[in-house]
Amino acid sequence: MYRLRPLLSKFLKARSGHFAIMTALTAPAAIVLAAIAVDSGSLYVEKRQAQALADLAAIAAALNPTLATANAQRTMSDNGVAALVVGRNSELSGPGARDRLLVTTGHYSARKEIDSAARFDPAGATKNAARVTYRTLGTRYFAGALIPPPEIVVTGVASATPVAAFSIGSRLARLDGGIINSLLSGLTGSQISLSLMDYEALLDTNVKLLSFIDALALDLDVGAGSYDEVLGANLTIGKIAKTMRSTGEIQGPALTALNSLVNQTTNGSVLPIKLSDLVDFGNGELTAASIRQVGVDMNALEFLMMSAAIAGRGKQVALDLGAQTGLLSAVVSLAIGEPPQHSGWLTVGEAGSLVRTAQTRLAITVEIGTPRDLLSLLGARIRLPLYLEAAYGEARLKSITCDGGFNNRKVEIEARPGIVNLYLAEVDRSKLGGFANPMARSPARLIDLPLVSITGQAQAEMSNTKFTSMTFTKADMKPPVARTVNTRDYLSSLTGSLFSSLSLSARLELGLLGIPLLTLPPNTLGKLTGAIQNVATPIDDLLYRLLSVLGVSLGEAEIKVYDANCGRAFLVQ
């Protein structure tokens, strides 16, 4: 007994065997933890691999939404997933396969106001994106006998939006330096005086849109990642001309003209115009990469004139063009409205994008001489108060196709000219800018003598309510070729049609009473009508020159496509 006590005491005090005992006790727990770690790490790697496969399949599917499922399957097969079952609708589970795939096409919008989770719309009419959901079973190396293999479900969304750059407006095929100077001066509040050679030099010069934006961003000290601040900056015509000059792309006579324009607009008032009013890049985040999808070479003069027209929205401009028209007198008041559902003059966008011309109102009072044999009206002038309303013309991008490769790209545009109404009538010029309200019209006083008053009224309309489709190929884009859609129900002179429906009446003015005249020199009203009809051509010419400078053509819509890109697929979610 006494011999056992020292041995027991020595055993209890010994430390050499504790590690072995602790190892024996904790080894099972450590082995379990190690197995869990290996299984978890393996599942993490498998999920990353599955996500990469889903992303690749989504990119392949988005490149051609009509073949989205086949392209996604091929991508999965090329990456080692051959035994694959493709689900329908929301079907991702079911017997018979380890790997299942669900491909859904839809429309993806990058608009900032839409929550990121709702930007992919499976019900969207325009398919520009694909969502691929991939389900597979993970591998458990240690716990497979105890726990069933987990499902790995991953989703990739990719978009490949074809975009095109196109515009609507006038080709400015015929220039008139005097009218352009008058319009620019009235719209900008500056005294613009450029020569016809200056305008022709600008008409023959193009500047790259991206170069213009980069130069403006540099001047505003804006970073290259996003151009939102550039789009929202307040600009003047002088600022636009200065930015064009700083691109380094304009030389010779055009550079001289820009220098003159910059100097002449230095003291002009700041105009309420933003770059986004001119150029529409859609509703997504604007980046340098998105701009570079298409190349746009802007005509320098068109860009300046559209800037002035947009800057003058709602502003009434008075012009005296009598000496420039061959008429005795031609006094013009014009007002330019804003297109409904704002759209730029030029847009870079996808199918469904719109461009529109501005609504325009013109009040023109023309004076011409009377025929010599109208003795009773000797010394009087014939006064023709004309009022013209031009609704916006519009063009929309219908489709972009690249069948057979990028060099075979085609752009289909649907366009229609705006409705034009011309009246022989009196209007209140102070209300021209009130586009929300119709203009009140009254019979025109053509001859107003102390005792005799001759009035008349007439109306002519150019209208085309249907869209006309036109196709632009690669050859039509570099350089851009202007295509014209014309009003179908209009073949003759607008003013000629107006005067052909002219109705005249004569009255004897006695105090406040107007008494119809029963006797006038023979055929007086007929000769008066003939004299009015003889000036239809110069009045038509005046209307054409005025409106074409503003980007509006009578009964026409002129469309240009600058470039198109069928889109590079990229992940969006």
Side-chain angles (χ1 to χ4, degrees), residues 57 60-62 64-73 103-105 129-130 132:
N64 190 345
T66 58
L67 300 174
T69 300
N71 289 343
Q73 279 184 284
V103 180
T104 306
T105 57
V132 171

Side-chain angles (χ1 to χ4, degrees), residues 369-380 382 447 520-532 534:
T370 56
R372 293 181 179 179
D373 54 349
L374 294 181
L375 300 179
S376 62
L377 304 179
L378 188 61
I382 302 174
I447 292 181
L520 278 174
N523 200 24
T524 297
L525 294 183
K527 292 181 179 180
L528 184 59
T529 300
I532 293 173
N534 287 336

Side-chain angles (χ1 to χ4, degrees), residues 420-438:
V420 177
N421 276 297
L422 180 63
Y423 302 90
L424 179 66
E426 304 281 358
V427 295
D428 184 350
R429 294 190 177 216
S430 65
K431 297 181 179 179
L432 279 180
F435 285 88
N437 300 309

Side-chain angles (χ1 to χ4, degrees), residues 176-180 182 320-327 541-542 545:
D176 187 309
I179 285 183
I180 298 180
S182 299
D320 189 348
L321 304 176
Q324 304 174 31
T325 60
L327 302 167
D541 184 67
L542 172 60
R545 286 185 288 166

Side-chain angles (χ1 to χ4, degrees), residues 236-323:
T236 64
I237 298 299
K239 181 73 170 179
I240 292 173
K242 184 179 178 181
T243 304
M244 283 186 180
R245 183 179 63 182
S246 65
T247 62
E249 297 181 359
I250 298 180
Q251 304 295 331
L255 182 59
T256 302
L258 282 179
N259 288 333
S260 298
L261 190 59
V262 170
N263 294 332
Q264 293 174 17
T265 56
T266 299
N267 298 323
S269 58
V270 176
L271 302 173
I273 179 175
K274 295 177 172 56
L275 185 58
S276 58
D277 295 329
L278 284 163
V279 184
D280 182 9
F281 286 97
N283 296 311
E285 182 75 16
L286 179 63
T287 63
S290 63
I291 297 174
R292 286 185 172 91
Q293 290 188 67
V294 294
V296 179
D297 292 337
M298 306 179 303
N299 180 267
L301 182 57
E302 284 186 3
F303 194 72
L304 289 167
M305 292 308 305
M306 291 306 102
S307 301
I310 292 175
R313 287 175 297 187
K315 182 178 181 180
Q316 294 177 212
V317 178
L319 309 172
D320 189 348
L321 304 176

Side-chain angles (χ1 to χ4, degrees), residues 160-216:
T161 303
V163 294
F166 66 107
S167 68
I168 185 170
S170 170
R171 288 173 291 178
L172 293 174
R174 185 175 61 176
L175 294 176
D176 187 309
I179 285 183
I180 298 180
N181 280 333
S182 299
L183 279 172
L184 278 177
S185 298
L187 291 170
T188 64
S190 302
Q191 291 299 317
I192 307 297
S193 180
L194 299 182
S195 68
L196 183 58
M197 292 180 62
D198 289 333
Y199 288 118
E200 289 175 343
L202 292 172
L203 185 63
D204 293 334
T205 301
N206 292 331
V207 60
K208 290 182 174 58
L209 177 60
L210 183 59
S211 298
F212 178 87
I213 293 177
D214 284 341
L216 186 57

